Amino acid sequence: MKILGEKIRHYRKLRGISQSELADGICTQATVSLIEKKDKIPSMEILVRICERLGITMNLVIVNDDSQIYSIISDIKKSFYQDDFEGISDKLGKLKNINVNNKQEIKLIHFFNGLIEYVTSKNYDKAIFDFNRAMNVNIANVDMYDILIDVFTAKAYINKKSMDEARVYYNQAKDLIKSSLDKIGDENYHDSILIYSNMADLSLKLDENQKAMEYANEGIFIARREQTLFKLDEMYCYLADAGTREGQKTDEDYIKAYVISSISENKTVFEKLKIKMKDMHLNIF
């Protein structure tokens, strides 16, 4: 259970009473201060009496662990969509003192811990360890994150120069995609696009150019269907890189990636493409 101290403060202010007045005959003013500022959980008797004095029910100011865990993991996913890895790390810290029993949530926590090791710390051995812990959580139904776990495990092995191991997980991811096509199409479009975008990137790293184009095109189709710019610049960039390797004319795809990265303010892709287009003598103006 967690108490929402800010809610206590909100209702106290709404009633126009001070901390001392709220505490009078119930507890000390310091206790009220700790509740409001530090989310300190008082005894149930004190909490009941405080809520009675404020004229509210307890469910307005407390959340159980399950609700809290679900909320935090939902926020972690949003940070993932925004490439906000510092935000992911901060939110994972909030879960350290909470007992998590749901297997799906345990799997996701292991995955995101591995992701932080992979992206931020570049500790690829630890990342692989965490990804494998996620894989070993015994859940009957496959979901989108099972594919992403394989993808990032493969990427971690590539960074370790272990290409044979990387291909094992790459092939596992491909098999999961084949068996989950309908599910991917019906999933939250962010998750679907993340799968195809990362698979295009991974395919390029493994010199699977045709597969890179296939996955990039699948992701682009979903992004256009949903009318979103989410990862669209990156997918056009992967499509163009793969096409270039295959000897295809890719000027149009590079230009699309460049324009979209400018609109979406994706500085990483924009700066990369600015150099690329200069080298290719492409001028969109």
Side-chain angles (χ1 to χ4, degrees):
M1 183 181 78
K2 179 184 177 182
I3 190 164
L4 304 175
E6 182 58 34
K7 288 271 192 177
I8 296 284
R9 181 176 181 275
H10 167 75
Y11 288 111
R12 177 177 62 77
K13 293 273 190 179
L14 198 63
R15 303 292 184 267
I17 61 178
S18 66
Q19 287 184 345
S20 296
E21 288 170 328
L22 178 57
D24 187 34
I26 299 175
C27 59
T28 65
Q29 183 269 333
T31 297
V32 173
S33 179
L34 285 171
I35 293 171
E36 292 186 355
K37 294 180 180 178
K38 302 291 185 181
D39 294 335
K40 175 71 174 177
I41 300 175
S43 69
M44 189 56 65
E45 180 184 355
I46 289 174
L47 182 58
V48 168
R49 293 181 66 187
I50 284 175
C51 289
E52 286 175 347
R53 183 159 292 173
L54 292 172
I56 60 174
T57 57
M58 282 200 303
N59 64 354
L60 289 175
V61 296
I62 61 172
V63 290
N64 60 37
D65 285 348
D66 288 344
S67 298
Q68 187 182 1
I69 293 164
Y70 178 84
S71 177
I72 292 172
I73 289 179
S74 295
D75 287 342
I76 288 173
K77 288 182 179 181
K78 290 175 186 175
S79 294
F80 184 29
Y81 300 152
Q82 298 164 2
D83 292 331
D84 177 14
F85 297 103
E86 183 178 341
I88 294 173
S89 183
D90 288 344
K91 294 175 182 76
L92 284 171
K94 296 179 181 179
L95 292 170
K96 286 183 178 178
N97 297 319
I98 301 176
N99 186 27
V100 183
N101 295 309
N102 181 282
K103 287 185 177 181
Q104 175 66 18
E105 291 168 345
I106 292 170
K107 180 179 74 175
L108 289 175
I109 291 168
H110 289 322
F111 168 69
F112 285 116
N113 276 320
L115 191 66
I116 292 301
E117 295 293 341
Y118 173 82
V119 175
T120 305
S121 303
K122 302 194 185 307
N123 185 339
Y124 303 119
D125 286 325
K126 180 63 168 63
I128 290 167
F129 173 77
D130 285 324
F131 293 147
N132 275 286
R133 290 182 75 187
M135 289 178 204
N136 290 332
V137 177
N138 186 20
I139 300 176
N141 295 323
V142 172
D143 69 7
M144 301 302 95
Y145 279 86
D146 289 298
I147 301 171
L148 288 172
I149 290 165
D150 280 333
V151 170
F152 279 97
T153 303
K155 287 186 175 186
Y157 273 117
I158 288 172
N159 281 287
K160 283 169 56 66
K161 312 297 182 187
S162 301
M163 307 308 287
D164 289 342
E165 287 85 350
R167 284 194 172 276
V168 169
Y169 290 98
Y170 173 63
N171 289 330
Q172 282 185 191
K174 286 197 296 184
D175 290 342
L176 283 176
I177 289 172
K178 282 182 184 178
S179 63
S180 308
L181 283 177
D182 292 340
K183 194 171 184 180
I184 293 174
D186 294 336
E187 195 62 38
N188 175 325
Y189 74 82
H190 289 97
D191 292 340
S192 301
I193 290 172
L194 277 171
I195 286 170
Y196 287 125
S197 174
N198 278 287
M199 280 298 284
D201 179 37
L202 178 56
S203 297
L204 277 171
K205 287 178 166 63
L206 293 171
D207 296 321
E208 297 277 352
N209 301 321
Q210 291 294 333
K211 293 302 292 184
M213 288 189 283
E214 176 186 324
Y215 290 128
N217 276 317
E218 289 289 347
I220 289 167
F221 173 80
I222 294 171
R224 294 179 67 177
R225 182 190 70 196
E226 299 294 334
Q227 299 183 332
T228 179
L229 297 181
F230 180 62
K231 301 293 181 182
L232 191 56
D233 50 356
E234 295 178 25
M235 291 185 292
Y236 271 117
C237 193
Y238 298 142
L239 182 63
D241 285 347
T244 299
R245 291 184 184 180
E246 292 294 297
Q248 299 178 9
K249 186 172 176 58
T250 56
D251 294 7
E252 184 178 338
D253 291 328
Y254 278 124
I255 290 170
K256 287 177 182 177
Y258 179 79
V259 172
I260 295 167
S261 66
S262 175
I263 294 169
S264 61
E265 299 183 345
N266 187 337
K267 293 181 181 179
T268 302
V269 175
F270 181 77
E271 292 301 324
K272 172 189 171 182
L273 287 169
K274 188 162 67 172
I275 296 169
K276 183 80 174 178
M277 293 178 70
K278 183 178 179 180
D279 291 342
M280 295 175 66
H281 306 291
L282 290 178
N283 189 347
I284 65 173
F285 303 107

